[in-house]
Amino acid sequence: MSAILPPTEQVWWKQPLDRVELLWIVIALIWCLILFFMMPYWHIYGQQNLSNEAYRSKPEDFAKKTEDMVAKYKVREEGDAQKVPVVRPPAGSDVYLIARLWSWYPILELEAGKSYRIHLMSMDWLHGFSLQPENINIEVHPGYEHVVTVTPTNPGTFSIICNEYCGVNHHTMTSRLYVVK
Amino acid sequence: MAVNRMFRTCPTSGLLFHEPAEKLMRWHAVAAVVSLLIGGILAIGVVLTRWQAVHLLPPDMFYQVLTAHGINMLIFWIIFFEMALLFFASSTLLKSRLATPRIAWAGFWLMIVGALVNNYAVFRGDSSVMFTSYAPMGAHPTFYLGLILFAVGALISCFVFLGTLVIAKAERTYRGSVPLVTFGALTAAIIAVFTIAAGAIILIPTFLWSVGLIEYMDSLMYKTVWWAFGHSSQQVNVSAHVAVWYAVAAIVFGAKPLSEKVSRGAFLLYILFLQLASAHHLLVDPGLTSNWKIFNTSYAMYLAVLASMVHGLTVPGSIEVAQREKGHNQGLFTWLRRAPWGNPVFSSMFISLVGFGFLGGISGVMMGTEQLNMIIHNTIYVPGHFHATVVVGTTLAFMGLTYFLIPVLFRRELMFPGMAKWQPYVFGLGMSAVALFLMGAGTLGVPRRHWDISFAGNAFPHEFPGAAWLMMALAGITGIIAIIGGGMYLLITVGSVFFGKKIVTPGFQHVRARDGVARVPAMAPTITSHGSIGAGGMVAPGTFVLAMVFLVAFVLYYFINWKYLSTVWPLR
C-alpha cells in the first residue's frame, strides 16, 4: 500500500505508467542529453576550454626554466619586504608561473589581445590558480606542468589568489597580473 | 547459539521492532546527534570567522575548526544516522530479526573509536588538512587511522544490513518484493560498500605514507581516487535521504509510489551511474583529457541527474495522489495547501526536497559541467552547493525522520512541540539562504577555505567587490539563523530522549516470535486504479506544474552561466 510496505501488486514491474511520469521522464532525458551535448559543443564553438596539454616535470627543471625567463624579460621589481620580479615576455611565448608555499613567482605583464602559453606548476603541495576579478580557476599540481594558452582581452591590474587550501598561510598567497595595451 | 527473537509492536505506528535492532538504532542515532552537536559548535567558529566584520578565530584555529566541522558533519553525523536508517529499513520494515547483532555492535564501537581517533588527530593541531586531506599535504597518522577504523565499522554495518535482507527472505517475513524504502536503503548500502572500498584504496596507502613506509604520493592520483570515495559517499546520502522522503510520504500521508517500476528504476540508475563521479572534482586539473572529463562527468546522458529529477517528481506526486484521494482534489495546488505544514516530519521533508532540487541540484549540474567548472572551481560557490545538498537535503530530511522516531523508537513524547513546529523552517530556510549567499559570493570569485578575503598585510592584496562582502556578511547572519535552527533540533531531540514524557502502553509486553519461519503477513487488497482524481489526464497535475517550474529555472540558470563563461578571457 505504501512505500514502507512491500508492493501490493506482486508483479509491480508490469504496472502501466501514469502519463505524468512518462512525460516527465521523456522531458528530463531530453534535457539531460542537452546537458551532455553542451560540453562537446563548446569545445568546437566556444572560446573558453581548458587545455589538455600537460607534462610531468621536476620542480628543479621548472624552476630553472622560470629563472631563465625572468633573466631574459624582467622589467622591474615590486613588493615591500620581498621583491618580486615583474616580467614582460613577448606575445606568443612560453611563460612560466611557479606556485609554492605561499607565493606566486614571478609577476607577469601581458599585452591585451595577444596569446601566451602560460605554464603552471606547483613546487610542493596543491595550489589553486584563481585569477580575479576575471574568475578563472585552475588547479595547480606538483609535478604536472600544465600549459594553458590565454588571451587577455582587457587591460588592467588583475590579482592571482590561491584558492586551494595549502596550509596555515594559504590566505597570504596572492600576486598580481598586469595586462597592458 | 540462542537467537534473540524478542519483538515489540509500536502502538502508535504499528511498526515491529526487533529488540537488539532497536537498541542499535538508538545508539547509532545518539552517536549521530552527538556528532551533530560537535559539528554545530564548530560551525559557529567557521561562520563567525568568514563573516569578515566579526572575524573571530586566528588562522591556524580557523583551519583546524573548519577541518573538524567538515568531518564531524559530513562523515560522522550523517553516516551514524544512515546506519540507524539501514537497521530500520531492514529489520523494522521487513519485520525481521537483525542479522548478527553482536557483530553489528563491533561495527558500532569501531565507528566510535574511529571518530574519536580522528577528532584527536585534528584537535592535536597538526592535522588541519580539511575533509579532503589532499596529499602531499600530510596529517598525523592517526587522522587517516581514525577514518579507516570508522569506515571498517560502517562496512560491517552495511553487511549486517545485507545479512538481514537474506534472513528476512529466508524466514519469509514479507511477501513479494521489499518495500521501496528498503530498496532505497539497499541502494545506499551498495553504494556505501563501493565508497568504502575506494576509501580503503586511497586511505590505507596514505596512512602508510604518513608513517614513512611509502615514499611518494602523487597528488593527481590521490585526488582522483580520493574523490571516488568522497563523491560516492555523497551519493550514499542522496540515496538515503530520497528513501527518507518516500518513507515520510508513506508515514504522513500513507502515500503509495506512483509506480514502483519508475521509483526503483531511478534508484538503480544511482547505483549504475553515480559511483565513479570523482570526475566532477577534477574538471580543472592537469593530466586528464577533456574526453575523460566529459565522459566521466556525464556518462553521455546524465542518467544520475535523470534519476534525481524522477524522484523529485514521484515523491511529491505520490503525496499529491494520496491527498487527492483523501478529497483534496480541487484545482492544482489544494493538496499542497492542505498539507500538514505544522507537522515537522512533513515540513522538513518538503523543504529538504525543494532545497535539494532547486538549490543543490541545479548548482551541482552547473558545477559538474567541464567548462563551467572553471568559473566556480574552489570558490565559495562549492560550499554553497553542498550546504544545499547535504544540509538542506540530507540533514533536514534526517531531522524530519527524527521527529517521527522519537515517539516510535525512543518511546518518548516530543518535548517543546511548538518549537519543533518552527524548527524545520528556521533551519531549512536559514540554510537555504546560506547556500544562496555563498553561491552569490562564489560567482564573484570569493575563495572557499580562506581565512581572510581582506588580505590584510599582504604585499599584493586583492579587493573583492562590495557585493561579495555583502554576500559574505549575509551568509554570516543567515548562518547564525541556521545554527539556531540546528540548536533547536538538538534541544528538542536531546530533551525528549532524556526528559520527555515516557509513553507507556498498558499491558505492554515483548512478544517472542515463533522460532524458524515467521507468520507470513496477509496481503492488502490490490488497488489497480486511482479512480477519478487529477486533471488533464494526469493523476498529479500540480506536481507536474511544479516540475516544469523547476525545469525552467534549471534551463535559465544553466544557460546564464554559459553566457557568463563566454565573457571571460579565451582559453585553450
Side-chain angles (χ1 to χ4, degrees):
Chain A
M1 184 61 200
S2 76
I4 56 170
L5 295 176
T8 44
E9 196 87 51
Q10 285 228 12
V11 275
W12 45 263
W13 53 90
K14 286 194 178 162
Q15 228 181 0
L17 295 188
D18 186 79
R19 185 185 291 177
V20 66
E21 277 184 303
L22 194 61
L23 198 55
W24 179 243
I25 291 172
V26 171
I27 294 170
L29 182 63
I30 292 170
W31 174 237
C32 288
L33 288 169
I34 295 171
L35 292 177
F36 166 70
F37 175 73
M38 275 309 289
M39 292 187 284
Y41 169 86
W42 202 261
H43 271 280
I44 300 165
Y45 298 104
Q47 296 293 307
Q48 293 79 13
N49 288 291
L50 189 62
S51 147
N52 283 323
E53 192 180 343
Y55 307 94
R56 277 199 178 274
S57 291
K58 288 200 183 77
E60 50 276 23
D61 295 344
F62 192 83
K64 189 173 175 303
K65 284 189 275 189
T66 311
E67 286 306 340
D68 289 351
M69 174 195 72
V70 171
K72 252 197 206 155
Y73 303 119
K74 184 169 131 177
V75 286
R76 60 180 184 274
E77 281 183 337
E78 275 184 16
D80 316 328
Q82 214 166 9
K83 296 287 177 205
V84 185
V86 180
V87 295
R88 189 168 175 183
S93 68
D94 286 275
V95 179
Y96 297 86
L97 182 61
I98 286 177
R100 63 188 171 203
L101 298 169
W102 287 283
S103 63
W104 300 93
Y105 179 92
I107 294 173
L108 306 175
E109 191 169 281
L110 310 176
E111 211 178 311
K114 298 284 180 351
S115 297
Y116 297 84
R117 283 166 54 80
I118 298 183
H119 297 235
L120 290 167
M121 196 174 108
S122 160
M123 298 288 110
D124 32 59
W125 293 351
L126 267 178
H127 296 289
F129 172 91
S130 177
L131 184 74
Q132 298 298 336
E134 211 42 37
N135 208 6
I136 294 172
N137 303 283
I138 302 168
E139 286 278 337
V140 187
H141 281 259
Y144 292 85
E145 186 175 336
H146 194 183
V147 188
V148 185
T149 304
V150 179
T151 316
T153 48
N154 45 332
T157 302
F158 295 83
S159 301
I160 299 171
I161 60 178
C162 178
N163 72 1
E164 181 61 81
Y165 172 69
C166 56
V168 72
N169 287 324
H170 162 56
H171 49 272
T172 64
M173 188 169 162
T174 57
S175 183
R176 290 241 188 286
L177 187 144
Y178 296 103
V179 178
V180 293
K181 278 216 179 110
Chain B
M1 196 180 80
V3 176
N4 181 326
R5 290 180 186 280
M6 298 299 263
F7 282 88
R8 167 178 80 78
T9 305
C10 170
T12 29
S13 62
L15 291 169
L16 196 68
F17 284 97
H18 180 225
E19 211 176 41
E22 186 182 12
K23 196 169 173 195
L24 276 160
M25 282 179 231
R26 285 185 186 168
W27 279 72
H28 279 83
V30 168
V33 169
V34 171
S35 308
L36 185 71
L37 172 67
I38 297 169
I41 293 168
L42 295 164
I44 301 171
V46 176
V47 167
L48 291 184
T49 307
R50 291 237 52 175
W51 182 1
Q52 289 277 156
V54 185
H55 215 222
L56 182 71
L57 301 175
D60 52 339
M61 208 170 159
F62 168 73
Y63 293 126
Q64 185 183 11
V65 161
L66 186 56
T67 304
H69 166 73
I71 296 173
N72 278 295
M73 291 301 210
L74 213 44
I75 301 188
F76 302 148
W77 142 250
I78 285 182
I79 294 182
F80 271 122
F81 199 97
E82 276 164 357
M83 294 306 134
L85 203 63
L86 287 188
F87 298 141
F88 178 80
S90 56
S91 169
T92 308
L93 292 186
L94 296 180
K95 303 176 171 32
S96 164
R97 67 185 173 88
L98 191 79
T100 61
R102 281 191 196 174
I103 295 180
W105 280 109
F108 174 76
W109 288 111
L110 265 178
M111 286 167 79
I112 292 282
V113 171
L116 289 174
V117 168
N118 177 275
N119 269 306
Y120 159 78
V122 176
F123 282 90
R124 280 170 59 94
D126 60 357
S127 301
S128 305
V129 292
M130 301 294 149
F131 174 60
T132 44
S133 57
Y134 287 144
M137 177 171 31
H140 191 262
T142 51
F143 179 90
Y144 310 106
L145 186 66
L147 290 180
I148 292 166
L149 292 177
F150 186 87
V152 172
L155 189 63
I156 289 173
S157 299
C158 287
F159 281 106
V160 170
F161 166 80
L162 296 172
T164 307
L165 295 189
V166 172
I167 287 180
K169 186 95 192 152
E171 298 186 353
R172 286 190 265 158
T173 63
Y174 64 96
R175 191 188 287 215
S177 309
V178 297
L180 178 60
V181 172
T182 310
F183 191 84
L186 175 61
T187 305
I190 291 171
I191 301 175
V193 171
F194 170 89
T195 300
I196 295 168
I201 294 172
I202 195 60
L203 287 175
I204 293 172
T206 311
F207 170 70
L208 296 176
W209 169 72
S210 72
V211 295
L213 289 171
I214 288 178
E215 206 172 306
Y216 177 71
M217 286 293 277
D218 182 86
S219 62
L220 186 60
M221 180 282 290
Y222 179 91
K223 212 179 160 206
T224 309
V225 185
W226 193 90
W227 278 112
F229 156 70
H231 197 92
S232 12
S233 69
Q234 307 317 313
Q235 314 308 342
V236 179
N237 303 340
V238 174
S239 308
H241 78 226
V242 172
V244 170
W245 293 346
Y246 280 113
V248 168
I251 289 162
V252 178
F253 299 96
K256 174 183 153 67
L258 289 180
S259 97
E260 297 277 353
K261 182 163 51 182
V262 170
S263 298
R264 284 168 202 245
F267 273 123
L268 193 64
L269 290 180
Y270 279 159
I271 301 180
L272 297 177
F273 295 100
L274 281 182
Q275 282 119 316
L276 297 167
S278 61
H280 297 155
H281 301 266
L282 300 156
L283 294 175
V284 296
D285 290 54
L288 302 162
T289 65
S290 288
N291 290 343
W292 186 90
K293 290 173 182 173
I294 290 176
F295 184 76
N296 285 292
T297 201
S298 65
Y299 302 116
M301 48 180 84
Y302 280 100
L303 289 178
V305 173
L306 178 72
S308 287
M309 287 174 78
V310 167
H311 289 306
L313 176 94
T314 56
V315 174
S318 70
I319 293 175
E320 178 172 353
V321 168
Q323 286 282 79
R324 283 180 185 276
E325 281 175 348
K326 270 179 215 152
H328 307 298
N329 195 23
Q330 315 86 312
L332 273 180
F333 298 113
T334 310
W335 63 276
L336 193 58
R337 265 206 319 278
R338 303 251 172 97
W341 293 100
N343 177 352
V345 181
F346 167 73
S347 58
S348 296
M349 174 257 152
F350 206 83
I351 298 170
S352 158
L353 178 103
V354 172
F356 180 78
F358 276 85
L359 299 175
I362 293 177
S363 63
V365 173
M366 190 286 262
M367 295 196 323
T369 303
E370 194 210 2
Q371 294 92 343
L372 295 179
N373 189 264
M374 262 188 301
I375 51 176
I376 55 92
H377 188 82
N378 268 350
T379 66
I380 204 151
Y381 188 98
V382 181
H385 156 75
F386 68 69
H387 279 80
T389 55
V390 119
V391 188
V392 181
T394 310
T395 296
L396 190 56
F398 289 178
M399 285 176 169
L401 191 70
T402 316
Y403 293 125
F404 166 73
L405 287 177
I406 285 172
V408 168
L409 182 62
F410 289 89
R411 306 301 300 142
R412 301 271 189 173
E413 271 177 24
L414 214 56
M415 264 181 128
F416 317 116
M419 195 196 282
K421 217 173 180 172
W422 286 102
Q423 190 274 337
Y425 296 97
V426 178
F427 184 76
L429 301 182
M431 196 54 84
S432 298
V434 171
L436 271 174
F437 291 131
L438 292 185
M439 287 184 211
T443 308
L444 297 168
V446 175
R448 67 186 291 200
R449 296 171 169 176
H450 199 280
W451 177 65
D452 183 15
I453 59 161
S454 76
F455 303 100
N458 271 23
F460 311 105
H462 174 66
E463 215 172 294
F464 278 106
W469 285 77
L470 179 68
M471 298 273 188
M472 291 306 286
L474 289 170
I477 295 164
T478 48
I480 293 299
I481 294 173
I483 289 171
I484 292 170
M488 286 159 72
Y489 169 80
L490 289 165
L491 190 66
I492 296 161
T493 48
V494 175
S496 309
V497 165
F498 289 104
F499 311 107
K501 196 173 155 224
K502 273 195 179 156
I503 301 174
V504 273
T505 320
F508 168 78
Q509 43 183 184
H510 281 280
V511 185
R512 192 177 170 80
R514 187 159 55 89
D515 273 29
V517 178
R519 184 174 53 86
V520 176
M523 295 296 292
T526 314
I527 299 166
T528 43
S529 84
H530 292 297
S532 56
I533 56 155
M538 290 177 180
V539 287
T543 303
F544 190 76
V545 170
L546 293 178
M548 293 313 288
V549 171
F550 172 77
L551 187 72
V552 169
F554 199 162
V555 173
L556 284 178
Y557 186 71
Y558 184 70
F559 285 110
I560 284 171
N561 278 287
W562 282 107
K563 175 85 190 125
Y564 170 29
L565 177 74
S566 74
T567 63
V568 308
W569 293 357
L571 288 158
R572 67 195 144 81

